[in-house]
Amino acid sequence: MTDADNRVILNVGGIRHETYKATLKKIPATRLSRLTEALANYDPVLNEYFFDRHPGVFAQILNYYRTGKLHYPTDVCGPLFEEELEFWGLDSNQVEPCCWMTYTTHRDTQETLTILDRLDLDTDKPSEEDIFKKFSLEESYQSGDLTCWQKVKPRIWALFDEPYSSMGAKIISVVSVFFIVVSIFSFCLKTHPDMRVPVIQNITMSLYGNDSSIWTLEKTGTEPHEAFFYIECICNAWFTFEIIIRFIVTFSRREFIKAPVNVIDFVATLSFYLDFLLTRLKKENEILEFLSIIRILRLFKLTRHSPGLKILIHTFKASARELSLLIFFLVLGIVIFAALIFYAERIQYNKDNDFTSIPDGLWWAIVTMTTVGYGDMAPKTYVGMFVGSLCALTGVLTIALPVPVIVSNFAMFYSHTQARSKLPKKRRRVLPVEAIRPKQGPQGGNRNQVGGAQNRRMNAIKHNHPGALENKLNRIGNGEESIPMLMFNHSEKDDSSIARSRPQSKSEKSPPRLVEISSNPGTPIRITDIQSSAILSIPSDGQTTNTTMTSVGFTANTNTSPSGHGGVLPIVKHNSDAANADVKIGTPQNTPTAQHKPIERNSSPTAGAPNAFVSVNT
């Protein structure tokens, strides 16, 4: 094969690429390695393959075939690059290490967006269809087949769990936040000495040796003011009502019970009722009083109303790996420096030694490494001071290293949240419709439109691809390609023995044939009979007849024609109705009123000149 035969032209998204066929064979079992001219996207006129894909990505893909190294273009999105690789049959894991981090960034972004979808950070008002969709009632909602409870249940749920769904939901949200804040303040203020009432006990004592007795008042303790009890009753009544309603109208009771915020709310409410019951029974329990501290955790209920707090919590979840690494290095440093400071203070005489044991040194080490420095324990010797300096520097470096990772995670979550809030909720739908390939019209259809499309294609080839038709004819002239030609009303006998002045008889006519000819006339390469009832006849008197053929091929005669057009038979087309299409064949002299455009190869063709081929789609 010559160098030109080994080349292949690929038109990807309007950008033409030319390479060798051997280059595309370097990576087997891919789309480009299986190119054949029988494919539907092969253009025989332009001798190229057309793919309606991204041209920028294909430049890197073709470079992968040439060099064996797949690089990621930074001007496209990662999912688009993956789709293109999948279309061309390539593995995305073959991306070079220099581009791997940039390429995989979109995967982290997709994970972040998935987390944000689960957090439900949207502050826009949801539609009724979205609310009913959570209860799997969207079909019944659209058809109107809903019972009374099915209509009321989602709306009540939206009042308590969707603060932005309606004005009533916003009011209930404000009331809930108010009771949470009042409950927290009440829980904290009732421990202040000025907010507590002393418990006075009357003690009567009998005097020794005397029948008289005296009594005295003694302060045995303090208890919260009675007003705090009523405040707690009102707040917990609201919390009880809220949790019961939310449990009844929830769309999934299993998910409701598994939610950490609901568990905290239930335990905090239950602790209040147990504390109230034991107080009335005069059975105080210090353990139960300590467990009442869980009421302070009701602050986490504010996450339903604060997207920023949700982001902060999930930032720590996403940074759990870095936080665990931080704790590990802190524990390691604390143990090492606690042992060092204990023995360093014993090397030199020190009467005011604060480090009597290694456990005492653990407290000093954790306070020093976290840069708090209470000052209750301090080294007194020079060796101990040196160990303390190392401990402080190590703590600063240990804590400072993971902090940027946590900050970047929070910035990533927050930036994506802000971007999502500005995106339109409804996007224009793009229909997944494949490009329709042009087909030949049915028999008797309007063929002038198809013929016009064919002419427009030929004109586009001449203007957009100058020299393409010339190159095609040169390849035919060199014997590299053949031309299909349709023969009709021919005779099995030798043409020279048949008088051309009379029409052929039916016995002399034969079915049409598709003949592939080379540059030498009269030497067909292959002949194929066509079974068709529609035959275009050419009488000797130059008149034309109607035809229903879908395409007709003509070749130029190597003998000079009397028309002076180099033996090229022009094609003259007339408008017709939907039933028939008129095709006239003749010279410009005998068709003076027709619009014609002869296709000329040479003004004076010689023997062996390549034949011209014209296709008429009717």
Side-chain angles (χ1 to χ4, degrees):
M1 297 177 63
T2 62
D3 182 74
D5 294 331
N6 194 29
R7 295 180 187 175
V8 60
I9 299 176
L10 305 172
N11 188 339
V12 180
I15 306 299
R16 302 175 79 242
H17 303 267
E18 188 170 1
T19 185
Y20 291 104
K21 296 179 181 179
T23 302
L24 303 180
K25 299 295 183 181
K26 291 183 178 180
I27 306 178
T30 58
R31 185 180 292 269
L32 293 179
S33 65
R34 298 189 294 263
L35 293 179
T36 61
E37 295 184 359
L39 295 176
N41 58 345
Y42 175 70
D43 191 340
V45 178
L46 301 179
N47 192 28
E48 66 181 20
Y49 297 87
F50 177 76
F51 297 94
D52 190 16
R53 307 300 298 186
H54 196 284
V57 176
F58 182 75
Q60 300 297 332
I61 292 174
L62 187 59
N63 185 67
Y64 178 42
Y65 280 89
R66 291 167 176 163
T67 62
K69 295 181 179 180
L70 181 60
H71 293 278
Y72 171 68
T74 57
D75 58 339
V76 299
C77 191
L80 173 62
F81 186 68
E82 284 186 345
E83 291 177 3
E84 292 296 317
L85 292 180
E86 183 179 359
F87 174 80
W88 297 109
L90 299 176
D91 186 8
S92 60
N93 294 325
Q94 300 301 320
V95 177
E96 290 297 308
C98 59
C99 302
W100 182 255
M101 291 300 297
T102 308
Y103 164 63
T104 55
T105 304
H106 75 280
R107 298 179 181 177
D108 299 333
T109 303
Q110 289 176 337
E111 293 178 0
T112 302
L113 295 177
T114 303
I115 294 175
L116 294 179
D117 289 336
R118 292 199 304 265
L119 292 181
D120 193 14
L121 299 175
D122 294 333
T123 57
D124 295 336
K125 179 180 178 180
S127 61
E128 284 195 356
E129 186 176 355
D130 295 335
I131 295 175
F132 281 91
K133 189 175 181 180
K134 289 182 178 293
F135 291 82
S136 301
L137 297 174
E138 63 273 12
E139 296 182 358
S140 300
Y141 172 76
Q142 295 175 356
S143 61
D145 299 333
L146 292 174
T147 62
C148 182
W149 174 241
Q150 288 178 339
K151 293 179 181 178
V152 174
K153 181 179 178 181
R155 292 186 171 90
I156 297 177
W157 174 85
L159 285 176
F160 287 88
D161 283 86
E162 288 289 341
Y164 302 97
S165 60
S166 62
M167 183 58 66
K170 292 181 180 179
I171 294 174
I172 293 178
S173 174
V174 172
V175 172
S176 179
V177 172
F178 172 76
F179 280 115
I180 291 173
V181 174
V182 170
S183 176
I184 299 301
F185 269 99
S186 173
F187 181 78
C188 295
L189 290 177
K190 71 180 181 180
T191 61
H192 194 275
D194 296 338
M195 301 292 179
R196 298 181 70 86
V197 178
V199 178
I200 305 299
Q201 184 177 4
N202 186 1
I203 300 176
T204 304
M205 295 183 298
S206 299
L207 296 177
Y208 179 74
N210 192 352
D211 295 336
S212 62
S213 61
I214 60 174
W215 58 273
T216 181
L217 298 177
E218 184 178 353
K219 179 182 177 180
T220 58
T222 59
E223 61 181 13
H225 195 275
E226 190 176 4
F228 290 107
F229 171 74
Y230 294 109
I231 292 175
E232 286 288 336
C233 288
I234 296 173
C235 292
N236 282 275
W238 167 260
F239 295 143
T240 304
F241 168 76
E242 183 184 25
I243 196 171
I244 291 175
I245 294 297
R246 292 179 60 237
F247 180 76
I248 292 174
V249 300
T250 184
F251 57 88
S252 176
R253 289 186 173 85
R254 179 181 299 177
E255 296 294 330
F256 182 86
I257 295 173
K258 290 169 58 177
V261 176
N262 296 331
V263 174
I264 292 173
D265 195 13
F266 177 76
V267 174
T269 306
L270 183 62
S271 66
F272 167 77
Y273 288 108
L274 292 177
D275 188 18
F276 173 76
L277 183 62
L278 293 176
T279 301
R280 293 301 179 186
L281 295 176
K282 305 296 182 181
K283 294 181 180 180
E284 297 183 358
N285 193 336
E286 295 181 357
I287 298 178
L288 184 61
E289 186 177 355
F290 175 77
L291 290 178
S292 64
I293 198 175
I294 199 173
R295 300 176 195 174
I296 205 74
L297 298 180
R298 278 203 181 104
L299 285 172
F300 287 102
K301 291 181 64 177
L302 298 177
T303 57
R304 294 194 296 120
H305 314 283
S306 174
L309 191 56
K310 287 183 180 180
I311 295 174
L312 182 61
I313 294 173
H314 280 271
T315 297
F316 287 111
K317 286 184 178 181
S319 307
R321 185 176 180 182
E322 288 78 14
L323 290 174
S324 61
L325 189 64
L326 171 64
I327 294 174
F328 172 75
F329 281 112
L330 277 178
V331 172
L332 186 64
I334 288 169
V335 174
I336 292 175
F337 286 106
L340 289 177
I341 196 65
F342 172 73
Y343 289 104
E345 288 293 293
R346 294 169 63 90
I347 293 176
Q348 188 178 351
Y349 173 73
N350 183 12
K351 62 178 181 179
D352 298 326
N353 187 8
D354 296 328
F355 303 94
T356 57
S357 63
I358 292 180
D360 292 336
L362 293 175
W363 168 250
W364 170 85
I366 190 172
V367 170
T368 305
M369 290 192 71
T370 55
T371 67
V372 176
Y374 289 115
D376 54 343
M377 299 175 66
K380 304 297 191 299
T381 62
Y382 292 107
V383 180
M385 294 178 183
F386 178 74
V387 173
S389 301
L390 292 178
C391 181
L393 292 175
T394 304
V396 170
L397 296 176
T398 303
I399 295 176
L401 289 178
V403 168
V405 179
I406 301 174
V407 173
S408 65
N409 287 339
F410 179 80
M412 178 180 63
F413 279 105
Y414 188 78
S415 61
H416 282 295
T417 303
Q418 295 298 318
R420 281 165 52 89
S421 63
K422 297 177 181 179
L423 286 175
K425 300 302 178 184
K426 294 183 179 180
R427 294 179 176 269
R428 186 173 183 178
R429 185 181 179 186
V430 179
L431 298 177
V433 180
E434 295 291 338
I436 302 176
R437 298 186 179 275
K439 296 182 179 180
Q440 296 179 349
Q443 185 174 359
N446 191 350
R447 308 173 192 278
N448 292 329
Q449 297 179 357
V450 182
Q454 186 73 11
N455 291 335
R456 289 194 298 271
R457 173 166 175 77
M458 296 298 296
N459 293 331
I461 294 173
K462 293 178 182 179
H463 289 87
N464 300 330
H465 305 278
L469 186 58
E470 191 74 17
N471 294 334
K472 183 75 175 179
L473 296 176
N474 289 333
R475 294 173 64 86
I476 296 172
N478 297 331
E480 299 175 2
E481 294 187 11
S482 61
I483 303 177
M485 182 186 71
L486 183 65
M487 298 182 61
F488 43 85
N489 291 348
H490 64 283
S491 175
E492 297 293 341
K493 300 179 182 180
D494 187 8
D495 291 343
S496 59
S497 62
I498 300 177
R500 308 309 299 171
S501 61
R502 62 174 179 84
Q504 294 174 336
S505 62
K506 294 183 179 181
S507 60
E508 295 175 345
K509 296 179 182 179
S510 299
R513 289 179 176 178
L514 181 62
V515 183
E516 295 186 11
I517 62 173
S518 64
S519 59
N520 298 323
T523 57
I525 299 177
R526 185 172 54 186
I527 300 176
T528 305
D529 290 337
I530 299 178
Q531 300 297 330
S532 174
S533 60
I535 298 177
L536 180 66
S537 61
I538 307 178
S540 59
D541 55 359
Q543 298 298 323
T544 60
T545 58
N546 294 335
T547 179
T548 57
M549 300 295 292
T550 58
S551 63
V552 182
F554 299 91
T555 60
N557 192 352
T558 55
N559 299 324
T560 304
S561 67
S563 63
H565 290 278
V568 179
L569 294 179
I571 295 178
V572 183
K573 295 180 290 185
H574 292 273
N575 294 330
S576 62
D577 54 7
N580 296 303
D582 296 335
V583 179
K584 291 189 176 182
I585 302 176
T587 62
Q589 287 79 3
N590 58 13
T591 56
T593 60
Q595 297 180 2
H596 63 274
K597 186 175 181 181
I599 301 177
E600 298 183 3
R601 176 72 177 104
N602 293 313
S603 59
S604 299
T606 58
N611 298 320
F613 172 70
V614 180
S615 176
V616 181
N617 294 325
T618 62

